[in-house]
Amino acid sequence: ENESTEPLPLDVFTVLHKTDGWNSKISTNTESDSKLSIAENQWYIIKACVVDLALDYCTRFSKKATNDYLETISLENESENNTNKYPSFTEMETQLRQWINDREPYCGSFDECVSGNFDDEEKCRPEACPFTNDGACRYVNGCLSDSIMGEYRDYLEEKVIASASASASASATSAKDEDNEASGGAGSGKTDAKKK
């Protein structure tokens, strides 16, 4: 466990960097009450929260950036009195990506980070909040609050219990199917004997 007497910094990205929280895995060693321990899963809980809140911010930022970009194109075309100068869809997509990268670079690479499981340390695991908007940094830093950690613990608990329940159900169904296949010949013999 990563225990330290040094207080955690207020930047959640710094916390994940200093504690190696990006590599944390959920600990499913639960007691009979099926409660996940925040202490055992603190870094995983913080990581899950950061990914969710960063995704939320980047989604909202990208939507606004798209609207701003389209409005800029529209105004440029109106000022030139030429509505036939809109870029092609491919050009618009390229320009919009650049527009987002110029304004909020972490959001520009966030999808790639998610699909790559945040393995790219330089691009996906910054040592400090990567957002240019201070409000976004404060928003994501909410992941360090006890109340939000508690909510994420409860959410992850439900996921783990649901996953364990689904696995147990699948195992039971598989075992039952195997039993039925193994006893299939004897069962059909009994049915044949009853018919006679």
Side-chain angles (χ1 to χ4, degrees):
E1 288 185 27
N2 296 324
E3 289 190 20
S4 172
T5 56
E6 187 180 323
L8 292 175
L10 293 179
D11 186 324
V12 71
F13 287 91
T14 304
V15 169
L16 288 174
H17 181 76
K18 286 188 171 186
T19 61
D20 197 29
W22 287 110
N23 291 320
S24 61
K25 305 278 187 241
I26 196 162
S27 171
T28 55
N29 298 332
T30 57
E31 300 296 326
S32 58
D33 64 357
S34 299
K35 291 282 184 192
L36 289 179
S37 161
I38 285 185
E40 289 177 17
N41 293 289
Q42 180 179 16
W43 313 123
Y44 184 84
I45 290 169
I46 291 172
K47 176 177 77 170
C49 178
V50 166
V51 170
D52 281 355
L53 295 191
L55 175 63
D56 177 56
Y57 170 71
C58 286
T59 300
R60 288 186 287 125
F61 175 81
S62 296
K63 182 177 180 180
K64 183 184 180 325
T66 300
N67 290 335
D68 291 349
Y69 168 75
L70 293 174
E71 187 175 327
T72 300
I73 290 175
S74 179
L75 291 172
E76 286 173 0
N77 284 330
E78 284 176 17
S79 67
E80 295 173 11
N81 290 327
N82 187 353
T83 55
N84 295 325
K85 291 192 96 178
Y86 276 93
S88 70
F89 181 76
T90 304
E91 290 170 325
M92 287 175 76
E93 186 175 25
T94 301
Q95 290 172 2
L96 180 58
R97 283 183 196 273
Q98 189 60 50
W99 181 278
I100 290 170
N101 285 335
D102 290 345
R103 285 153 184 79
E104 204 58 277
Y106 194 65
C107 289
S109 59
F110 194 75
D111 285 345
E112 190 180 327
C113 290
V114 170
S115 63
N117 203 28
F118 292 85
D119 287 339
D120 185 332
E121 290 191 28
E122 188 175 323
K123 187 188 295 182
C124 304
R125 301 178 179 193
E127 292 184 31
C129 182
F131 298 118
T132 59
N133 178 344
D134 288 341
C137 292
R138 287 192 300 274
Y139 176 57
V140 177
N141 281 345
C143 293
L144 295 174
S145 77
D146 291 340
S147 62
I148 291 181
M149 274 198 267
E151 287 177 25
Y152 267 84
R153 190 256 336 264
D154 294 345
Y155 166 73
L156 292 170
E157 222 169 64
E158 287 177 22
K159 270 181 69 171
V160 166
I161 290 168
S163 176
S165 176
S167 292
S169 178
S171 294
T173 301
S174 177
K176 187 176 177 182
D177 290 346
E178 287 174 11
D179 286 347
N180 286 342
E181 285 177 21
S183 63
S188 60
K190 288 178 186 173
T191 305
D192 288 345
K194 285 181 184 175
K195 286 182 182 175
K196 289 182 182 178

